[in-house]
């Protein structure tokens, strides 16, 4: 196997993403040693049982000793608190990164705590499931998925390249963009779809007992897909919406306008309008599939 890219990887937060990175870093030889710290004693106990870290003692100073890559894998809302807690233990030359689904707010939370000589390079792997916790993770989660790096102005190019190598080693394709651009794109491609899923499942639930049981009984695959997404972690998604408020509200405004246009077509019996619209959206789906970007097959990248 090729040389490890980092000597010691420290992961803060061992849920779906943190535990998947730990498993992948070990399986693909991306890090020499792996240390894991989590605020939950229950999670730490499970990490020890699963044997996914070389150091699962749970002591922060010990975990960060000699760490040349530290990845914060907690919910977005606590990134700043975590950065403040780890700052005194970060060593010169180390790379500090994260996996938060929002970048602008995460940068604002973490950057003020980064000591001089430490390279802060935010990241976001576009890979996940509706499950959370250390048992939900798996080593192949990042295979053929994008990992977006959002280095700040003046970031050290060799540190960025080293982090990109790490993600490539564990199977991801890497793209670089600004935090602001990331937040706009993801507001549309990830955050809005989750909001729509939460909403439609909530609407079905509000209809009451009889509809609820019929929803379960007659659930067609389209609706079932929404229920999978709507089962995603409430803490994670509360934090995403509170921390990407502006971009989500902008996309939601445009979405509502387009939905009103469709509503008008239905009311007016505008079959041609509906047909043209659906033809346009079908072409988008087909081009995604043609470019090999469709990873929605039931067992793709999953256990
Ligand atoms: N789940 C996904 O699909 C997905 C995909 C890409 C990125 N992300 C991002 O990754 C991050 C983690 O998501 P996840 O799905 O792994 O969540 P998760 O709920 O599975 O795990 C989060 C872990 O962080 C721990 N934690 C919470 N506060 C902490 C603190 N102060 N110090 C140390 N540990 C703490 C929790 O105990 C938990 O084990 C989030 O920021 C999320 O936005 C998630
Ligand atoms: O497949 C899923 O369950 C996901 O929702 C994963 C998903 C996404 O929207 O694609 C969710 C949030 C993350 O920030 C990245 C990936």
């Amino acid at each position: 196997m090729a040389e490890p890219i980092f000597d010691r990887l420290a992961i803060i937060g061992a849920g779906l993403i943190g535990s998947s990175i730990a498993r992948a870093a070990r399986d693909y030889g991306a890090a020499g040693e792996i240390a894991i710290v989590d605020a939950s004693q229950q999670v730490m106990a499970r990490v020890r049982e699963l044997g996914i870290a070389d150091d699962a003692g749970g002591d922060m100073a010990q975990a960060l000793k000699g760490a040349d890559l530290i990845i914060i894998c907690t919910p977005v809302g606590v990134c700043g608190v975590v950065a403040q807690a780890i700052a005194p233990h970060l060593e010169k030359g180390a790379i500090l990164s994260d996996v938060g689904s929002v970048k602008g707010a995460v940068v604002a939370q973490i950057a003020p705590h980064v000591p001089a000589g430490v390279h802060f390079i935010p990241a976001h792997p576009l890979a996940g499931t509706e499950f959370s916790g250390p048992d939900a993770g798996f080593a192949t989660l990042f295979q053929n998925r994008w990992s977006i790096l959002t280095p700040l102005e003046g970031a050290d190019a060799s540190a960025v390249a080293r982090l990109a190598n790490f993600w490539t080693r564990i199977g991801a394709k890497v793209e670089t963009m600004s935090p602001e651009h990331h937040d706009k794109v993801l507001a549309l491609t990830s955050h809005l779809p989750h909001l729509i899923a939460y909403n439609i499942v909530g609407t079905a639930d509000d209809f009451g007992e009889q509809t609820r049981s019929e929803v379960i009984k007659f659930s067609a695959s389209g609706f079932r897909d929404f229920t999978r997404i709507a089962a995603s972690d409430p803490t994670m998604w509360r934090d995403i919406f509170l921390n990407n408020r502006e971009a989500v509200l902008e996309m939601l405004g445009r979405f509502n306008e387009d939905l009103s246009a469709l509503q008008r077509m239905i009311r007016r019996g505008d079959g041609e309008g509906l047909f043209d619209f659906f033809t346009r959206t079908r072409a988008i789906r087909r081009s995604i599939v043609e470019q090999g970007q469709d990873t929605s097959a039931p067992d793709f990248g999953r256990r």
Side-chain angles (χ1 to χ4, degrees):
M1 209 183 297
E3 281 283 292
I5 295 159
F6 290 94
D7 292 332
R8 185 172 170 91
L9 163 65
I11 292 171
I12 320 294
L16 168 71
I17 301 299
S19 75
S20 293
I21 294 175
R23 289 171 167 101
R26 182 177 280 172
D27 281 14
Y28 303 110
E33 288 174 353
I34 298 161
I36 289 183
V37 181
D38 196 288
S40 154
Q41 287 312 312
Q42 225 177 332
V43 169
M44 285 311 299
R46 193 65 193 129
V47 166
R48 284 188 284 272
E49 279 163 16
L50 291 167
I52 55 176
D54 303 295
D55 173 355
D59 178 69
M60 189 67 86
Q62 179 59 39
L64 297 185
K65 207 166 168 40
D68 46 358
L69 175 61
I70 302 93
I71 310 183
I72 300 175
C73 302
T74 64
V76 162
V78 295
C79 280
V81 179
V82 171
Q84 189 172 19
I86 65 175
H89 310 294
L90 297 174
E91 295 182 7
K92 261 204 162 52
I95 294 177
L96 172 65
S97 190
D98 76 299
V99 291
S101 305
V102 173
K103 296 275 55 100
V106 164
V107 170
Q109 283 187 62
I110 295 179
H113 303 293
V114 181
V118 171
H119 305 289
F120 172 42
I121 307 166
H124 177 206
L126 305 190
T129 72
E130 69 277 27
F131 300 112
S132 43
D135 285 281
F138 52 102
T140 55
L141 176 64
F142 310 108
Q143 288 298 316
N144 206 28
R145 308 301 292 261
W146 289 107
S147 182
I148 299 179
L149 306 189
T150 63
L152 312 186
E153 260 185 45
D156 182 272
S158 66
V160 175
R162 204 165 157 218
L163 184 64
N165 280 345
F166 174 84
W167 279 106
T168 310
R169 177 73 70 85
I170 64 173
K173 305 175 285 184
V174 175
E175 182 82 55
T176 301
M177 62 180 72
S178 72
E180 298 72 31
H181 187 69
H182 167 280
D183 288 354
K184 279 202 171 184
V185 173
L186 270 290
L188 183 65
T189 60
S190 176
H191 307 167
L192 193 56
H194 276 76
L195 195 67
I196 293 165
Y198 281 123
N199 189 53
I200 195 168
V201 175
T203 303
D205 192 46
D206 279 349
F207 270 114
E209 229 11 87
Q210 196 194 336
T211 317
R212 207 167 17 242
S213 58
E214 287 185 327
V215 161
I216 295 164
K217 188 169 166 190
F218 300 120
S219 181
S221 62
F223 187 78
R224 236 183 293 133
D225 289 348
F226 279 123
T227 63
R228 181 186 80 75
I229 296 289
S232 300
D233 189 68
T235 303
M236 169 180 158
W237 284 96
R238 175 203 62 198
D239 285 4
I240 289 174
F241 290 117
L242 294 182
N243 284 280
N244 198 21
R245 198 187 332 220
E246 270 178 38
V248 169
L249 289 178
E250 185 190 330
M251 294 306 166
L252 194 56
R254 293 167 77 144
F255 175 83
N256 282 332
E257 282 174 23
D258 292 342
L259 192 62
S260 297
L262 284 173
Q263 190 178 12
R264 203 163 42 243
M265 286 182 212
I266 295 169
R267 190 171 352 98
R268 289 179 178 168
D270 180 2
E272 199 182 325
L274 288 170
F275 185 86
D276 288 349
F277 193 92
F278 300 155
T279 304
R280 190 151 60 87
T281 56
R282 170 186 263 189
I284 291 171
R285 166 69 187 176
R286 288 187 172 166
S287 72
I288 291 172
V289 174
E290 272 162 24
Q291 286 171 32
Q293 301 274 324
D294 174 34
T295 52
S296 65
D299 59 352
F300 188 95
R302 306 245 159 91
R303 277 177 300 184

